[in-house]
Amino acid sequence: MNDTRPGALLPGESDYLRIAVEAARQGRSEGGIPIGAALVHAGKVLGTGYNKRVQLASPIRHGETDCLENIGRLPASVYAESTMITTLSPCDMCTGAILLYKIPRVIIGENRSFLGGEELLRSRGVQVVVVDDESCVAMMTEFIAALPALWNEDIGVTD
């Protein structure tokens, strides 16, 4: 039986998380930070993205923002009926993008490595589902151990 309580994954959503994880792995394979995202509307993956700050020397291409950029312009009604899936708790910038486009549901692979704007999202009526997926946790734990300075740069930590 599928768990349909508020906050639980709906049927098929674990597949969407796997797609976001694959995007994150792609980013890591390119020398970047392993954070991936996917936007889903009406059971269809509209697009994916991954953190490209290193690859593009960009201050704003996080997983979620890259996903939105890759999809391109959509009607507001599509965003308002979509789910953002991300491997890591969204930072303030990505939280802002989710709020700006009124995306009503966010699935987060893990928030142990970083706790972003989840409370702000909830306070604005966004349904936030934290999966606490072990593969997401392991991916970030290994990355942070290997490249702590790059990680700190990504989350805005100064020396």
Side-chain angles (χ1 to χ4, degrees), residues 3-159:
D3 188 346
T4 57
R5 293 171 296 152
L9 288 180
L10 300 174
E13 288 182 334
S14 60
D15 293 334
Y16 304 143
L17 180 58
R18 281 193 287 278
I19 290 168
V21 168
E22 285 306 312
R25 288 184 177 136
Q26 175 66 34
R28 184 68 186 111
S29 75
E30 295 173 4
I33 299 160
I35 303 168
L39 189 70
V40 175
H41 177 261
K44 178 183 176 204
V45 176
L46 299 178
T48 64
Y50 53 90
N51 188 305
K52 291 182 181 152
R53 289 188 67 249
V54 172
Q55 298 92 317
L56 299 177
S58 169
I60 61 171
R61 290 298 277 273
H62 285 197
E64 299 89 339
T65 56
D66 185 60
C67 176
L68 293 170
E69 178 69 16
N70 290 339
I71 292 167
R73 188 172 161 202
L74 296 172
S77 61
V78 174
Y79 296 114
E81 298 171 345
S82 294
T83 298
M84 176 67 77
I85 297 94
T86 180
T87 60
L88 185 66
S89 185
C91 72
D92 290 343
M93 178 177 62
C94 295
T95 294
I98 291 164
L99 292 173
L100 178 67
Y101 291 105
K102 297 178 176 47
I103 298 169
R105 182 172 161 85
V106 178
I107 297 171
I108 298 169
E110 71 107 340
N111 63 3
R112 290 189 226 169
S113 302
F114 177 80
L115 180 59
E118 295 174 32
E119 285 309 312
L120 178 58
L121 290 168
R122 287 184 184 101
S123 76
R124 298 280 294 276
V126 176
Q127 184 183 25
V128 176
V129 179
V130 179
V131 178
D132 199 29
D133 179 79
E134 287 300 328
S135 69
C136 291
V137 172
M139 185 167 47
M140 287 309 301
T141 301
E142 292 164 12
F143 171 76
I144 293 167
L147 295 165
L150 181 56
W151 171 243
N152 286 335
E153 175 191 323
D154 194 59
I155 61 172
V157 172
T158 59
D159 295 331

